[in-house]
Amino acid sequence: VPHATRQLHTTQQSSAPLPPLPEKGGEVRHGLIPEEFFQFLYPKTGVTGPYMLGTGLILYLLSKEIYVVNHETVAAASILTVIIYGIKKFGPEVAAFADKLNEEKMARALAVKNEAIKDLQTAIEAEKKEQWRVEGCSYLFNAKRNNVAMLLEANYRERLMMVYNEVKKRLDYQVAVQTLKRQKEQDYMIQWVEKNVVQSITPQQQKESITKCILDLKALSKGAHAAV
Amino acid sequence: LPAAVLLKDTKLMDVKLGQLPSWLATRDFTPGGIAGAFRRGYDRYYNKYINVKKGGLGGISMVLAGYVVLSYIWSYSHI
């Protein structure tokens, strides 16, 4: 049967920390009677009141045989003697041992808490450092952007140079072709002119020019003889 | 003016002797109520004498003494 109809979380929840345990328990006198009983009787009967009451009660129980004295009484008396002797002798040591156990338990819990606090603090430090790093990111991105821009620029200039070289090569080729053509035309024309001139020198003209040259040479030699 | 406290909310030590029967009539005698009363008594004793940092001998010795007395009362007729 599901207990879904039961109401949960009905009281006000408070997230305040639990109050610490009280240091000492309620006062008990002689290990048997709480202190409040003595305080309750103090206004009417003073300090000895509860003790008189206790004595009277014990005498009444004994005399009316409400408490019967038999072999069990002897057994109870001896057991109580041993117990009280043991408590008086070993009480403080046991108490110190129990206190030490408690201290260790508290120390372990405190250690866990401190560990957790320390870990969280280192985490906070790391987080702050990360935030500081994020602030520096803008410088990093600027530098990277500059790098990329420089690469793009260098690439662009490289290709520009290549384009310039290629165009220059093509243009030089055209110029070379034109100069070659003109040179060839010139050479051919000179050759043709020479060939025609040589052809046009008839033998008769050749003879005439040779006799003229000889006459000139004679005249020149005469002139040179005369100068010397 | 302080508000008048209802009879069923007063503690036993504050109830006057004449009001005792009417006070008893306002008590919760259902099984849940009786169990709640035992639980309240146990919690009061536990938080006062045992659930402390330096508990003493009186915490358990009172319980044992009460047990001794109760068992004597129950076995009185067999003595």
Side-chain angles (χ1 to χ4, degrees), chain A residues 20-28 31-34 36 40 64-68 70 87 99 102, chain B residues 13 47-62 64-66 72 75-76 79:
Chain A
L21 282 179
E23 283 290 327
K24 295 173 71 63
E27 281 285 323
V28 174
L32 279 180
I33 306 157
E36 280 84 8
F40 177 65
K64 289 285 242 195
E65 285 265 302
I66 296 176
Y67 179 67
V68 178
N70 50 10
I87 286 174
D99 284 342
N102 243 5
Chain B
M13 299 301 277
N47 285 328
K48 182 154 183 202
Y49 290 106
I50 302 186
N51 200 12
V52 293
K53 276 195 200 155
K54 263 180 81 68
L57 185 61
I60 37 164
S61 82
M62 278 198 285
L64 289 175
Y72 185 83
S75 57
Y76 181 65
I79 297 176

Side-chain angles (χ1 to χ4, degrees), chain A:
Chain A
V1 176
H3 292 276
T5 52
R6 196 163 64 117
Q7 293 246 329
L8 296 172
H9 295 284
T10 45
T11 57
Q12 308 293 95
Q13 276 211 341
S14 71
S15 53
L18 278 178
L21 282 179
E23 283 290 327
K24 295 173 71 63
E27 281 285 323
V28 174
R29 216 189 271 208
H30 303 299
L32 279 180
I33 306 157
E35 192 65 35
E36 280 84 8
F37 185 65
F38 291 84
Q39 299 303 322
F40 177 65
L41 291 179
Y42 181 75
K44 291 284 192 270
T45 58
V47 180
T48 54
Y51 293 108
M52 298 313 299
L53 176 64
T55 313
L57 262 178
I58 289 174
L59 287 176
Y60 165 71
L61 291 175
L62 282 172
S63 67
K64 289 285 242 195
E65 285 265 302
I66 296 176
Y67 179 67
V68 178
V69 176
N70 50 10
H71 61 284
E72 285 178 17
T73 310
V74 179
S78 33
I79 289 173
L80 274 177
T81 315
V82 168
I83 286 177
I84 290 175
Y85 172 74
I87 286 174
K88 286 279 192 267
K89 198 161 159 72
F90 300 114
E93 291 174 10
V94 171
F97 177 70
D99 284 342
K100 195 157 69 77
L101 285 179
N102 243 5
E103 287 292 313
E104 280 171 18
K105 209 162 38 163
M106 289 280 294
R108 272 201 293 270
L110 270 178
V112 165
K113 182 180 98 161
N114 286 342
E115 274 290 325
I117 287 181
K118 234 185 341 180
D119 284 340
L120 285 173
Q121 269 190 330
T122 42
I124 288 176
E125 300 286 317
E127 182 66 31
K128 284 214 167 81
K129 204 161 170 79
E130 286 300 313
Q131 281 176 346
W132 169 78
R133 282 208 188 118
V134 159
E135 281 170 23
C137 260
S138 60
Y139 298 122
L140 188 69
F141 290 152
N142 274 348
K144 284 197 172 169
R145 219 175 285 135
N146 281 348
N147 271 0
V148 166
M150 214 176 304
L151 274 177
L152 283 173
E153 186 76 23
N155 222 349
Y156 171 71
R157 294 220 179 146
E158 215 175 271
R159 288 187 196 163
L160 207 60
M161 190 70 181
M162 191 163 74
V163 160
Y164 165 76
N165 283 342
E166 289 293 310
V167 166
K168 188 154 183 307
K169 275 198 285 188
R170 275 153 185 66
L171 288 178
D172 284 346
Y173 170 72
Q174 294 296 331
V175 161
V177 157
Q178 273 184 350
T179 35
L180 183 70
K181 194 159 164 203
R182 195 168 300 151
Q183 200 179 346
K184 286 285 178 251
E185 283 176 355
Q186 266 182 337
D187 288 344
Y188 183 71
M189 207 180 298
I190 292 174
Q191 243 183 345
W192 184 77
V193 163
E194 277 184 12
K195 192 166 75 173
N196 275 359
V197 162
V198 166
Q199 267 182 347
S200 73
I201 299 178
T202 58
Q204 197 248 342
Q205 252 181 330
Q206 202 171 353
K207 223 185 274 178
E208 266 184 38
S209 62
I210 284 180
T211 45
K212 181 116 185 344
C213 285
I214 289 173
L215 281 172
D216 279 335
L217 276 170
K218 276 189 186 152
L220 272 170
S221 72
K222 270 199 203 118
H225 272 296
V228 171

Side-chain angles (χ1 to χ4, degrees), chain B residues 4 6-8 14-19 28 30-33 37 40 42 44 49-51 54 60 63 65 70 73 78:
Chain B
L6 293 171
L7 186 56
K8 80 177 182 66
D14 298 331
V15 169
K16 309 250 183 294
L17 206 55
Q19 295 171 321
D28 186 9
T30 67
R40 279 197 306 274
Y42 172 82
R44 263 179 61 184
Y49 290 106
I50 302 186
N51 200 12
K54 263 180 81 68
I60 37 164
V63 178
L70 205 62
I73 291 173
H78 302 286

Side-chain angles (χ1 to χ4, degrees), chain B residues 16-36:
Chain B
K16 309 250 183 294
L17 206 55
Q19 295 171 321
L20 198 55
S22 44
W23 182 85
L24 277 178
T26 64
R27 289 289 95 195
D28 186 9
F29 287 111
T30 67
I34 293 182

